[in-house]
Amino acid sequence: AAGVIQSPRHLIKEKRETATLKCYPIPRHDTVYWYQQGPGQDPQFLISFYEKMQSDKGSIPDRFSAQQFSDYHSELNMSSLELGDSALYFCASSFGTTHTDTQYFGPGTRLTVL
Amino acid sequence: AQKITQTQPGMFVQEKEAVTLDCTYDTSDQSYGLFWYKQPSSGEMIFLIYQGSYDEQNATEGRYSLNFQKARKSANLVISASQLGDSAMYFCAMRSSGAGSYQLTFGKGTKLSVIP
């Protein structure tokens, strides 16, 4: 079965640079979520989109922005990178938006900021 | 506000034995979903099992079962016949039915080590 695709899988950036993470949800899934997992931490919700509209927002820094495109893929844009942004970034997708709908996670993008 | 508590930072289990990973939750919502995910050392987050707040029967998926006790607000994961490949971090997560609430709230996780 098709899974969530994330690219790139690994990314190394310098402080103050920008980064763009891409996510391709499971086909027919209409909702995309972004999570950030710091070293030794649990995942923290950043933002979600349903049918290309922002549906919920968590602890996403103002330096980050995201959008979902007409083909349902999503991109997380990160600017003025800081050392503390080094983390594993997950995209997840679901078919439906209720609390009963399972979120399936991609393999993650490991971002290292030097 | 929702909260998930996993009180076991680490657990050891002998291969082929069963193990229970604890999870308690706190929410004021009547409708909610509880999820368990497995995260191997390679980093991916794998969905294991789901339990709805109104489900009368405990969820089961192969070797995974969920011991759901609503009155105690607990949703413990039971893994039967442990295998070496079960060694991983396990996260309990919740999502409420609140309007505009799409996010999963995770616990801190339990690191399970299976001993040969």
Side-chain angles (χ1 to χ4, degrees), chain A residues 33 35 37 42 56 90 97 103, chain B residues 37 39 43 95 100 102 104 107:
Chain A
Y33 314 78
Y35 291 84
Q37 186 180 27
D42 53 293
D56 193 8
F90 286 109
T97 60
Q103 296 181 24
Chain B
Y37 289 86
Q39 187 173 39
R95 179 172 166 183
Y102 284 59
L104 283 172

Side-chain angles (χ1 to χ4, degrees), chain A residues 31-71:
Chain A
T31 311
V32 167
Y33 314 78
W34 286 97
Y35 291 84
Q36 177 193 57
Q37 186 180 27
Q41 304 292 316
D42 53 293
Q44 296 295 313
F45 172 74
L46 294 178
I47 197 167
S48 65
F49 293 87
Y50 168 65
E51 286 290 345
K52 292 152 281 183
M53 299 288 290
Q54 182 181 310
S55 53
D56 193 8
K57 192 171 181 180
S59 49
I60 184 169
D62 292 340
R63 300 177 289 108
F64 293 7
S65 65
Q67 58 181 321
Q68 186 180 30
F69 295 86
S70 58
D71 64 351

Side-chain angles (χ1 to χ4, degrees), chain A residues 31 33 35 37 41-43 45 48 55-56 88 90 97-105, chain B residues 31-33 35 37 39 43 45 47 50 91 95-97 100-104 106-108:
Chain A
T31 311
Y33 314 78
Y35 291 84
Q37 186 180 27
Q41 304 292 316
D42 53 293
F45 172 74
S48 65
S55 53
D56 193 8
L88 186 57
F90 286 109
T97 60
T98 75
H99 62 283
T100 65
D101 297 312
T102 298
Q103 296 181 24
Y104 294 92
F105 284 69
Chain B
S31 298
Y32 48 87
F35 303 81
Y37 289 86
Q39 187 173 39
M45 192 73 75
F47 166 70
Y50 160 81
F91 288 98
R95 179 172 166 183
S96 77
S97 60
S101 176
Y102 284 59
Q103 59 186 279
L104 283 172
F106 287 83
K108 297 299 180 186

Side-chain angles (χ1 to χ4, degrees), chain B residues 31 38 40-41 48 52-53 57 70 72 77 86 101 113 115:
Chain B
S31 298
K38 171 185 178 182
S41 57
L48 295 178
S53 58
Q57 291 193 328
K70 193 171 181 177
R72 294 186 176 183
L77 176 70
D86 294 334
S101 176
S113 299
I115 304 166

Side-chain angles (χ1 to χ4, degrees), chain B residues 33-83:
Chain B
L34 295 158
F35 303 81
W36 277 91
Y37 289 86
K38 171 185 178 182
Q39 187 173 39
S41 57
S42 51
E44 67 265 35
M45 192 73 75
I46 302 166
F47 166 70
L48 295 178
I49 196 166
Y50 160 81
Q51 179 84 42
S53 58
Y54 289 113
D55 293 343
E56 294 187 353
Q57 291 193 328
N58 287 337
T60 61
E61 287 286 349
R63 295 188 297 112
Y64 304 108
S65 60
L66 207 152
N67 184 0
F68 180 48
Q69 298 187 48
K70 193 171 181 177
R72 294 186 176 183
K73 292 190 174 180
S74 74
N76 299 337
L77 176 70
V78 180
I79 305 174
S80 63
S82 296
Q83 302 172 356

